[in-house]
Amino acid sequence: MSILPRRYRSFSARNQIIMKVLAFNRHYLPGFKAGGPIRSLANMAEALGDEIRFFIGTTDRDLGDAEPYPEFDGSAWIKIGKAEVRYFAPGAISIRAIRALIDEVRPDCIYLNSFFDPIFSLRVLIARRFGLIPRIPLLLAPRGEFSPGALTLKSLRKSAYIKGASMFGVTRDVMWHASTEIEADDISRTMSIGSSSIAVGSDLATAPPVNAASAWSPRESGRPFRLCFLSRISPKKNLTGALQAIGLVNAGVAFDIYGPKEDESYWAECQRLIDELPPHVSVAYRGEVAHQDIASVFAGYDLFLFPTLGENYGHVIFEALSVGLPVLTSDQTPWNDLREAGAGWAIAPDLSSIAACIDEAARWTLAEQSAARAACIRYAERVLKDSQSIEQNRQLLFAAARIGGG
């Protein structure tokens, strides 16, 4: 049964704009260092932008950058794909500026892409709760922030934040966007709310570059097994767990690390672990990778190692699979059927189990490697052909506009 508001149903097939969404996200294109949340919002705007007009408020620089993007005027809307984007200097995102944006756009729905962001989420929620901005229907996507692994990081601060939000009622009548049923359970448990306030819509994937999978070259006999990690270097992504695990492998391993050093103290801990690794394991930090270059980077490896503590989707996992790179990740993501698909492993982040999987993959024959890579590509193709995910996202936005507010 359709959950589209009645006044929208007769128009939805005509590919004309029938709704406006004002989304807030700390970072957006052309940025890439913040990872999945950027891709989730950009992919939604591209998939639905012919019938939903997306306006996005964001900062004028990428994660960790001191300088703004040089090419953008913060006083005007910039067309990025199918979305219209307004870039703010970090100090310019006042409640008054948010109110001016809402008054200008007059959206049917406000869409937040974090719960714990103190500026682009908490500031909007507080302003809405106390009547400083119009009480427009609001949809909130926590983007995996409520997974058990994520909540263990800075747990006292997060617990206080959640209790304060509940005490002051800032999430009252908010509708929540979960990427999976598992995340819906996480939201329900953390915020003590029922399922009627939560809509499930899978994040949308990006098709790989044409012929990206064909760039892979088999590992030469006698050469180290080629592993890579590609993500933000922060506790949630669990690079320390990856380093501890490869210290237990028997095979010769060359492990390359890609991603922004989001947390310098955490990187110092990683560096200490690197210095303690045995001689048959070599590690190199290769820097940051722009999104358009990820496929070509993945082409040079035999396995993607990503023992994350929690992902509501995990775009980088799909990107590896889509170019034929087997994945070894944790069981705290939606990709828990990798072993059944022959595309890798999704296991509890136990060090000895991770090491055993790496040693198994290092023993693969060329025929077994080729079979695993083909299985990865078939798996990714099934994901891309799943039109249900686009429809879920379409309907949850319309449902939020109908149900939220009051």
Side-chain angles (χ1 to χ4, degrees), residues 22-26 36-38 40-41 44 109-117 120-121 125 138-146 171 174-180 183-184 187 191 197-203 236 312 393 396-397 400:
L22 174 58
F24 291 99
N25 202 38
R26 178 67 69 96
I38 295 176
S40 295
L41 185 54
M44 177 185 280
C109 177
I110 293 173
Y111 185 33
L112 306 182
N113 285 271
S114 169
F115 176 70
F116 292 116
D117 188 317
F120 278 114
S121 294
L125 290 169
L138 191 145
L139 181 65
L140 198 160
R143 303 295 181 200
E145 291 173 333
F146 295 155
T171 58
V174 164
M175 190 167 180
W176 297 79
H177 174 192
S179 294
T180 64
E183 187 178 28
I187 294 169
M191 299 305 298
S197 298
I198 306 170
V200 178
S202 176
D203 286 11
K236 182 183 175 184
N312 71 306
N393 280 267
L396 71 86
L397 286 168

Side-chain angles (χ1 to χ4, degrees), residues 34-338:
I38 295 176
R39 296 258 47 91
S40 295
L41 185 54
N43 291 350
M44 177 185 280
E46 288 305 299
L48 301 176
D50 291 330
E51 54 190 298
I52 299 175
R53 192 175 178 187
F54 284 87
F55 298 85
I56 298 171
T58 188
T59 50
D60 63 358
R61 62 204 67 194
D62 206 352
L63 175 68
D65 286 359
E67 298 298 322
Y69 305 120
E71 64 269 36
F72 296 140
D73 177 1
S75 64
W77 291 99
I78 307 295
K79 190 75 170 177
I80 305 291
K82 293 181 181 179
E84 294 164 75
V85 186
R86 179 70 65 82
Y87 295 92
F88 290 90
I93 312 161
S94 64
I95 289 178
R96 178 178 293 181
I98 292 170
R99 172 65 188 251
L101 213 60
I102 292 170
D103 289 344
E104 179 182 357
V105 173
R106 299 175 63 84
D108 297 287
C109 177
I110 293 173
Y111 185 33
L112 306 182
N113 285 271
S114 169
F115 176 70
F116 292 116
D117 188 317
I119 297 175
F120 278 114
S121 294
L122 184 61
R123 192 166 291 180
V124 175
L125 290 169
I126 290 174
R128 181 176 179 270
R129 172 70 177 87
F130 293 102
L132 302 177
I133 62 174
R135 203 168 184 80
I136 293 166
L138 191 145
L139 181 65
L140 198 160
R143 303 295 181 200
E145 291 173 333
F146 295 155
S147 71
L151 288 175
T152 62
L153 305 172
K154 301 179 181 178
S155 58
L156 292 178
R157 184 185 304 177
K158 289 179 180 178
S159 178
Y161 190 109
I162 291 166
K163 288 178 181 177
S166 298
M167 182 183 303
F168 290 103
V170 298
T171 58
R172 189 179 302 159
D173 77 19
V174 164
M175 190 167 180
W176 297 79
H177 174 192
S179 294
T180 64
E181 294 291 348
I182 294 172
E183 187 178 28
D185 291 340
D186 291 341
I187 294 169
S188 178
R189 180 184 62 254
T190 303
M191 299 305 298
S192 301
I193 58 175
S195 60
S196 62
S197 298
I198 306 170
V200 178
S202 176
D203 286 11
L204 304 175
T206 307
V210 177
N211 299 323
S214 63
W216 176 71
S217 57
R219 177 167 53 105
E220 297 177 7
S221 178
R223 302 289 292 176
F225 186 68
R226 302 170 297 183
L227 278 170
C228 70
F229 172 97
L230 195 157
S231 187
R232 292 182 289 118
I233 298 173
S234 67
K236 182 183 175 184
K237 305 304 180 179
N238 198 24
L239 176 57
T240 53
L243 291 166
Q244 290 170 319
I246 63 172
L248 302 177
V249 301
N250 296 313
V253 168
F255 183 42
D256 287 346
I257 299 167
Y258 297 87
K261 299 175 184 176
E262 180 178 315
D263 185 327
E264 287 293 343
S265 62
Y266 183 73
W267 173 245
E269 182 182 354
C270 293
Q271 192 65 62
R272 177 184 61 79
L273 292 171
I274 291 170
D275 293 340
E276 296 173 354
L277 288 170
H280 65 282
V281 175
S282 65
V283 178
Y285 174 64
R286 303 294 186 186
E288 300 166 358
V289 182
H291 183 258
Q292 66 268 21
D293 297 327
I294 289 176
S296 60
V297 166
F298 278 152
Y301 294 93
D302 304 306
L303 186 69
F304 174 41
L305 177 57
F306 187 48
T308 176
L309 298 182
E311 302 292 323
N312 71 306
Y313 187 73
H315 287 276
V316 72
I317 295 173
F318 174 81
E319 287 161 347
L321 295 169
S322 70
V323 298
L325 181 61
V327 174
L328 172 52
T329 190
S330 77
D331 58 359
Q332 300 300 304
T333 82
W335 308 91
N336 285 333
D337 57 349
L338 293 177

